[in-house]
Amino acid sequence: MAYNAYPAIPCLRHQSVALAVAVAFSFTLRLAQAEDGEAATITLPEMSIKADKPALPANVPNTVESVTARQIDESINAMTTASVLQYLPSVHVRERYIGDRNGILVMRVNSSIASAVTTVYADGLLLSNFLNNSFSTAPRWGLVAPEEIERIDVMYGPFSALYPGNSAGGVVNITTRMPEKFEAHAKFDYFTQHFNQYKAGGNFNGVHGSAAIGNKIGDWSFWADLDHLNNHGQPQTFGTATKKTGAPAGAGTFTVASGEVRDIDTSGNPRIITSTTGMDHTVQDNGKFKLAYDITPTLRASYILGIWQNKSDATVEPYLKDAAGNLIYGTKTGTASNPFQFVRIGGVDYTVSGANPAYSESEHWLHGLSLKTSTGGTWDWEAIASYYDQRKDISRTATNFGFDSGLGPVRPGGNITLADGTGWRNLDLRGEWRPGGDLKSAHQVSFGYHTDHYILKSDTYSIAADWLNGSPGTLSTNSRGKTEIQALYLQDAWGFLPDWKLTVGGRFERWKAFDGSNYNAANVAPNSKNQTYADRSQSNFSPKLALAFRMAPDWLLRGSLGKAYRYPTVSEMFQSINLPGSLKFNDPNLKPEYVVSGDFTAEKSFANALWRTSLFWEDKHDALISQTDVTVTPTISSIQNIDRVRTRGLETALQAGDLWFRGFDLSGSLTYADSFILKDAKNPGLEGTMQPRIPNWRATLVGVYRASDRLSYSLAARYSGRQHNQLFNTATRQYNDINPNVYGAVSHYTVVDGKINYKIDRQWTAALGVNNLFSYKYYVNPNPYPQRTLFATLKFDY
């Protein structure tokens, strides 16, 4: 499909796309002019480029980008697995601080609060958390340590029948190490961030350490590693004041306060900041044991056990003080004879959001078992099963206010949420048939069966006293639910001519949601405190098609089309909404969103480089987005199906080795995208407006210079352009974030990182690094990202 066949868009956007094409094309011409001699095969860092005959895709009809262990060592300050993806084209992980448990994977077409439209695997085991489509259900990155990664491959779009509808945005496949001989590794990292925001300032420090050992003895091989992270994260939120309406507060209901900070919010209105909150001290331990047995030279059985533990303290610092200098932690209305129903600042009365400390503790287990052949002949097959168990998942929050810090000798009450028993199970049976008898067969046929089962258990209780150690008291709310998918797929990659390959496939999925319920103690008659929901099921078929053509020895063209269904998660269906009068509305009948996606890619290989440009688009129907239904009275704000959302864009990426002189490698990417709501029957005023949190421009650039076999330098830059935090405001006829680069926004950013890697001898390596070199302040609603962070690393490899 030609790009100019898209419906018309404003001229400025056409100019932007044209500019991207022009820049990429001019760079390509310079590379072409640098070629000399016959086409040859050369080797770049961890990447082979064959200039005379680029490899056609086998049974992977997607655009694929990769990062390897060597590239991580040379150019990425990687304390967590989430951080190693940050320089891949159109890829971003919303890691707000090192060790963030809510690191949502963002790719070409999904936002930073849409977690269920990308899929992450590690050695074939699912790490994605499809219990919700939210900022709070990120992939379980903590189950993979950065030091065990062999490589990561990223596939864009839903073009392979081998993956579920949650792959609409893309798929990440993490491959970890398995030894061929004895090896041992140890690593220690120290890092420090200098942060300055409002009254929060100073250094936030952390350490990261890992150790691993592995060996292959006869037909047995094993790998064991331990990973420890201890980090003091920067503040994630800041308390604010809300002006009281109506008459001034009465005597005995307010306290005169001072010490506030004033600024302008994202909507351009004056704002009062009253506290620093959400300073997360996280201590995470990850243990992994992998055991493999070669039953025959081509048949291997494997078992993986992963354990992830976390303890987290979220601390606070109030700004407000009374006349005697006592700190004020917040207000609480509705309590008689309470002088902290309001605070009076500058003669005006306000309520103040609470500066409430919190604590959480988790212990998650991952079990994986696989049996796989690797003959490379006529038949290969694999069976893989996994079980992810949130064995312990506890979150506690204090309900302190006034002068009470929540951490005194007599602690106040609070709330506790228990999610123990939440988790998922997966089973995949996969086969490969090559009628020609080897990997060069004209047909590469993949087929298989998949099933998954998700379980949600979440209970919130009040605690009468001692929020930190008190037992659960009265049940406040709970959520229950299960979903299940069973799928069959078939796909054939057919090389019907020497330079042509056609990939055709389809995936049939049957989805079921059952055992759904909610409880809310606040509900009053006639609304039931306990809601149960009827079981649901639905079946869909998703066709896939791709055609690749090697039009010249150094040119490859590929077009891909695919359809995918992303079914509602348990939390989306059973979300609670409190309306006036304590009414409650749930929509357990949400329809699955489905996408029709396309990608046209051109790849050009040179003597020392590979350049790719892709045009992509996605038409999403019944998109699941939080909005307000204005066709009912009273209006309802909830997760709803929006009729049609369209996203389209251009992406170009370059990888070059020994570009201008020996030892210098350069890689980079540039992406333009726009995403618009085309039809919305429940809120027609949103038609023609932008989908939130899809940046218009994204770019990466990474340069690595190997001064010698021992010493390398890297310098990298990441850029993200304008995006909106929320849907268009139909009342004011504008987007709310007219002041987009302050706390509370989703801001643009330009971040520069660097690293020096020095191999002291055969076994010892040291590194120094920096992220956000110029300490740029940028945000992802409402949280600030890290400012300048320094890294020091010492590593041992045997």
Side-chain angles (χ1 to χ4, degrees):
M1 177 177 291
Y3 193 74
N4 59 12
Y6 291 145
I9 56 177
C11 180
L12 178 60
R13 295 192 184 98
H14 281 304
Q15 293 171 351
S16 299
V17 173
L19 175 62
V21 174
V23 171
F25 186 67
S26 64
F27 195 16
T28 303
L29 288 178
R30 293 190 182 95
L31 287 170
Q33 292 168 0
E35 293 184 77
D36 58 343
E38 296 294 321
T41 300
I42 67 156
T43 300
L44 296 182
E46 305 294 328
M47 174 184 69
S48 294
I49 296 176
K50 200 172 183 66
D52 58 346
K53 190 171 288 188
L56 288 168
N59 217 345
V60 179
N62 309 61
T63 294
V64 179
E65 294 283 350
S66 304
V67 61
T68 66
R70 181 178 178 182
Q71 291 169 324
I72 295 170
D73 284 344
E74 290 181 339
S75 60
I76 303 174
N77 300 305
M79 304 297 105
T80 65
T81 295
S83 63
V84 307
L85 297 167
Q86 60 193 0
Y87 302 126
L88 290 173
S90 305
V91 176
H92 169 67
V93 177
R94 174 187 169 270
E95 191 175 31
R96 301 163 300 164
Y97 57 96
I98 296 171
D100 185 5
R101 279 92 64 200
N102 293 334
I104 301 303
L105 174 63
V106 183
M107 295 183 66
R108 288 173 174 173
V109 295
N110 72 296
S111 75
S112 57
I113 54 173
S115 60
V117 293
T118 54
T119 306
V120 179
Y121 297 93
D123 300 315
L125 305 180
L126 185 67
L127 297 185
S128 292
N129 181 352
F130 297 142
L131 293 165
N132 201 354
N133 184 45
S134 162
F135 66 88
S136 63
T137 45
R140 299 309 195 191
W141 304 109
L143 264 299
V144 178
E147 283 64 53
E148 64 172 319
I149 295 172
E150 189 70 34
R151 64 181 293 117
I152 297 179
D153 298 296
V154 176
M155 300 167 53
Y156 297 83
F159 307 119
S160 173
L162 282 63
Y163 299 99
N166 301 92
S167 68
V171 178
V172 171
N173 284 305
I174 303 172
T175 303
T176 65
R177 297 175 57 80
M178 206 64 193
E180 294 296 324
K181 61 180 180 178
F182 177 79
E183 54 183 278
H185 309 270
K187 182 186 178 188
F188 175 78
D189 302 285
Y190 173 80
F191 49 93
T192 180
Q193 175 194 175
H194 185 75
F195 183 85
N196 182 25
Q197 182 87 33
Y198 301 127
K199 291 188 176 182
N203 294 323
F204 292 82
N205 307 321
V207 295
H208 170 248
S210 65
I213 187 170
N215 199 2
K216 183 174 175 60
I217 305 171
D219 295 328
W220 292 89
S221 56
F222 74 92
W223 177 272
D225 65 63
L226 296 173
D227 188 89
H228 175 77
L229 175 69
N230 186 329
N231 181 34
H232 292 264
Q234 81 277 10
Q236 288 302 295
T237 51
F238 296 89
T240 57
T242 302
K243 186 177 179 181
K244 182 183 182 299
T245 59
T253 66
F254 69 89
T255 298
V256 177
S258 61
E260 78 282 0
V261 176
R262 297 176 183 265
D263 75 344
I264 304 299
D265 68 12
T266 60
S267 298
N269 300 316
R271 174 173 59 185
I272 294 178
I273 303 295
T274 60
S275 62
T276 294
T277 56
M279 292 181 286
D280 186 16
H281 176 204
T282 180
V283 180
Q284 300 179 24
D285 292 289
N286 168 28
K288 179 77 68 64
F289 178 71
K290 297 184 288 186
L291 181 67
Y293 176 62
D294 295 328
I295 301 171
T296 72
T298 60
L299 176 62
R300 168 171 284 194
S302 303
Y303 170 71
I304 295 179
L305 170 64
I307 304 173
W308 176 78
Q309 295 178 318
N310 174 68
K311 292 183 178 180
S312 169
D313 288 288
T315 57
V316 301
E317 292 181 357
Y319 301 167
L320 298 180
K321 297 179 181 180
D322 70 354
N326 298 306
L327 294 172
I328 300 173
Y329 285 82
T331 56
K332 184 177 182 180
T333 58
T335 304
S337 302
N338 172 22
F340 293 104
Q341 292 193 48
F342 304 96
V343 292
R344 182 163 289 177
I345 304 173
V348 180
D349 296 327
Y350 299 88
T351 57
V352 174
S353 55
N356 307 123
Y359 173 80
S360 65
E361 187 172 348
S362 303
E363 182 180 302
H364 296 183
W365 291 61
L366 173 68
H367 300 271
L369 185 63
S370 69
L371 194 62
K372 181 178 182 179
T373 67
S374 54
T375 66
T378 303
W379 293 97
D380 270 314
W381 55 268
E382 178 181 17
I384 184 166
S386 64
Y387 173 47
Y388 191 96
D389 179 21
Q390 295 182 193
R391 184 167 298 185
K392 178 192 293 185
D393 209 299
I394 304 170
S395 300
R396 295 174 177 262
T397 305
T399 53
N400 58 302
F401 66 97
F403 296 145
D404 188 355
S405 69
L407 297 172
V410 179
R411 288 185 284 265
N415 297 294
I416 181 172
T417 298
L418 305 176
D420 304 1
T422 295
W424 56 86
R425 302 191 298 265
N426 292 272
L427 173 65
D428 282 282
L429 304 176
R430 303 165 180 158
E432 296 282 339
W433 177 46
R434 309 175 187 97
D438 57 31
L439 296 174
K440 297 181 180 180
S441 174
H443 288 274
Q444 304 277 338
V445 181
S446 297
F447 55 92
Y449 166 78
H450 166 85
T451 182
D452 60 52
H453 185 88
Y454 278 81
I455 303 172
L456 172 65
K457 295 181 180 179
S458 179
D459 304 298
T460 299
Y461 300 86
S462 61
I463 302 175
D466 193 356
W467 68 275
L468 193 55
N469 297 301
S471 299
T474 303
L475 179 65
S476 302
T477 63
N478 76 8
S479 297
R480 293 283 191 276
K482 299 175 183 177
T483 59
E484 181 179 277
I485 291 179
Q486 297 192 61
L488 294 170
Y489 65 84
L490 177 66
Q491 182 168 285
D492 180 20
W494 176 30
F496 60 94
L497 288 172
D499 295 323
W500 290 85
K501 181 162 289 188
L502 176 68
T503 303
V504 181
R507 188 179 185 94
F508 175 82
E509 294 172 303
R510 180 168 178 79
W511 167 81
K512 181 170 69 172
F514 55 103
D515 294 349
S517 67
N518 287 122
Y519 175 84
N520 191 334
N523 277 5
V524 296
N527 298 288
S528 173
K529 293 179 181 292
N530 191 63
Q531 299 271 359
T532 59
Y533 306 100
D535 297 349
R536 294 177 55 200
S537 63
Q538 183 169 331
S539 299
N540 297 100
F541 178 72
S542 302
K544 319 284 183 177
L545 178 67
L547 181 64
F549 171 51
R550 187 173 57 246
M551 61 178 293
D554 54 355
W555 276 100
L556 174 66
L557 304 179
R558 181 178 59 251
S560 303
L561 291 171
K563 187 176 185 179
Y565 286 83
R566 203 278 287 179
Y567 296 100
T569 61
V570 176
S571 298
E572 284 175 307
M573 289 182 293
F574 308 138
Q575 181 187 17
S576 299
I577 294 91
N578 294 316
L579 297 175
S582 296
L583 298 175
K584 184 180 179 184
F585 178 84
N586 297 91
D587 187 2
N589 298 310
L590 289 172
K591 294 182 289 186
E593 60 183 14
Y594 70 93
V595 302
V596 179
S597 298
D599 180 289
F600 179 75
T601 291
E603 294 182 0
K604 174 72 167 69
S605 60
F606 303 89
N608 62 343
L610 180 66
W611 173 63
R612 172 184 63 82
T613 295
S614 300
L615 298 173
F616 60 88
W617 58 267
E618 176 192 84
D619 270 342
K620 180 177 289 187
H621 302 261
D622 293 324
L624 291 164
I625 297 176
S626 179
Q627 68 161 4
T628 300
D629 185 349
V630 300
T631 66
V632 296
T633 303
T635 60
I636 297 172
S637 296
S638 63
I639 301 292
Q640 298 169 16
N641 288 112
I642 293 180
D643 300 84
R644 188 183 175 199
V645 178
R646 183 189 62 207
T647 304
R648 59 192 179 180
L650 171 83
E651 176 183 276
T652 188
L654 171 77
Q655 298 179 67
D658 295 331
L659 181 57
W660 292 299
F661 49 87
R662 183 175 179 81
F664 178 68
D665 297 345
L666 184 70
S667 63
S669 66
L670 180 67
T671 304
Y672 172 80
D674 63 30
S675 185
F676 285 87
I677 296 171
L678 299 186
K679 185 178 181 181
D680 190 351
K682 293 181 179 179
N683 196 336
L686 293 178
E687 294 178 358
T689 65
M690 295 182 185
Q691 182 183 185
R693 302 194 181 211
I694 305 293
N696 54 0
W697 288 97
R698 281 185 272 201
T700 64
L701 189 64
V702 182
V704 177
Y705 173 56
R706 299 177 190 86
S708 68
D709 292 339
R710 290 188 171 188
L711 180 63
S712 68
Y713 305 88
S714 74
L715 190 65
R718 296 171 278 138
Y719 171 78
S720 180
R722 184 70 164 106
Q723 55 189 304
H724 291 292
N725 176 28
Q726 297 175 331
L727 292 167
F728 185 76
N729 189 324
T730 56
T732 62
R733 304 303 303 167
Q734 66 179 10
Y735 295 96
N736 288 336
D737 52 348
I738 61 173
N739 187 28
N741 295 306
V742 297
Y743 166 70
V746 181
S747 55
H748 74 264
Y749 59 84
T750 302
V751 177
V752 176
D753 310 321
K755 188 173 184 179
I756 301 173
N757 209 56
Y758 179 65
K759 194 168 183 62
I760 301 169
D761 57 26
R762 188 174 63 87
Q763 295 176 335
W764 291 93
T765 304
L768 295 174
V770 59
N771 280 358
N772 196 356
L773 175 63
F774 301 109
S775 208
Y776 191 90
K777 291 183 178 180
Y778 62 117
Y779 310 88
V780 56
N781 175 45
N783 318 116
Y785 277 113
Q787 296 175 19
R788 183 185 298 114
T789 306
L790 305 176
F791 302 84
T793 297
L794 184 63
K795 186 171 68 166
F796 172 82
D797 297 293
Y798 179 82

